Amino acid sequence: MVENGTLIEKIEKHPRVWFAVSAVIALICLLSGLTGLLVKSDIDVKDIEKAPFYGHAEAEVTERDNDEDFEIRNSFCRFIPTGNEYFFRVCTKDGTWLFVRADKNADIEKKTVIGGRVRKFSGDEKKYLLDKYAIDTHNYIDMTWIRISLLQIASGLLMAFEILLGAAMIKDKISAESKMRNAAEIVFCALPFPFAAIWIYLLCHL
């Protein structure tokens, strides 16, 4: 038989397991976001192919090839759209041609200096560039890196608030007789949805 009960009542039966798992998830999200913001291994665009995981590159742009700009439509499990990615091909002052990922409305032509985190193209993206443009490249500069890191931090804060709210109900700080109990349980059950939405987006854009 299926045992009935609210989510918090089920968690109350194994609070330590729930707390440990939730705390680990929150820490991973917060640390990944903060590390992305704070750790920057500056490299020269000439060495972009050898960039470390948290490598950042900055360069002065002298030219843009509009004909080789491209767009990727992302989806989760092929059914849930998660937005588009926009790539622009530019030439730096030292003559290096490379791709940058930026927002759709980013006016790349008016930017004299571009910079961001160095990321790798996926296998499908590399095949697309090779087939359509005969370009064999592995890395690009991600100008949206700050947004990605902030979303990771936001997901960690959501999970941390979930832990605090759950602990308050488990410890009876928000008792079953309290007028706030129903509202607290609704929020507690709703928080995993924005958390999941953020990570579905991130998984398709990291």
Side-chain angles (χ1 to χ4, degrees):
M1 295 179 63
V2 178
E3 187 178 353
N4 294 323
T6 64
L7 179 60
I8 194 66
E9 288 172 344
K10 293 176 180 178
I11 288 174
E12 283 176 338
K13 296 178 180 179
H14 305 284
R16 292 182 180 179
V17 175
W18 167 78
F19 176 79
V21 173
S22 300
V24 168
I25 293 172
L27 281 173
I28 290 173
C29 295
L30 290 170
L31 288 176
S32 58
L34 289 171
T35 303
L37 284 177
L38 301 176
V39 179
K40 299 178 184 179
S41 301
D42 293 327
I43 63 166
D44 193 287
V45 290
K46 293 180 180 178
D47 300 318
I48 193 171
E49 300 292 338
K50 302 175 183 177
F53 186 71
Y54 285 106
H56 279 247
E58 186 175 285
E60 184 176 345
V61 173
T62 57
E63 188 179 351
R64 174 186 168 193
D65 189 345
N66 300 65
D67 293 333
E68 293 181 355
D69 294 348
F70 69 98
E71 172 185 348
I72 295 176
R73 295 181 180 179
N74 286 317
S75 62
F76 182 73
C77 296
R78 297 186 179 183
F79 298 108
I80 304 174
T82 59
N84 299 345
E85 294 178 80
Y86 302 94
F87 293 86
F88 308 88
R89 195 167 189 240
V90 299
C91 184
T92 62
K93 189 176 181 180
D94 63 4
T96 302
W97 281 96
L98 51 84
F99 282 97
V100 297
R101 183 171 81 175
D103 293 325
K104 181 179 181 180
N105 298 324
D107 199 343
I108 300 296
E109 292 178 346
K110 290 186 178 180
K111 291 184 180 295
T112 55
V113 176
I114 55 100
R117 182 172 167 181
V118 178
R119 297 189 188 274
K120 292 184 179 295
F121 283 113
S122 68
D124 290 340
E125 291 165 350
K126 286 189 288 186
K127 185 177 184 302
Y128 174 83
L129 288 172
L130 194 59
D131 292 346
K132 186 167 184 178
Y133 302 113
I135 296 173
D136 185 13
T137 187
H138 301 280
N139 300 80
Y140 63 91
I141 294 178
D142 183 10
M143 295 178 66
T144 69
W145 65 278
I146 293 179
R147 180 173 68 228
I148 299 295
S149 294
L150 290 177
L151 283 173
Q152 290 174 319
I153 293 171
S155 68
L157 293 175
L158 280 174
M159 184 56 67
F161 183 68
E162 177 90 338
I163 293 171
L164 293 175
L165 189 58
M169 289 188 284
I170 291 171
K171 296 292 186 181
D172 218 27
K173 299 294 183 181
I174 304 177
S175 65
E177 292 76 25
S178 171
K179 294 181 179 179
M180 296 293 295
R181 181 69 178 213
N182 286 340
E185 289 192 3
I186 291 172
V187 173
F188 183 81
C189 293
L191 282 175
F193 291 98
F195 177 86
I198 289 174
W199 272 96
I200 286 173
Y201 175 86
L202 288 173
L203 289 172
C204 296
H205 290 78
L206 285 173

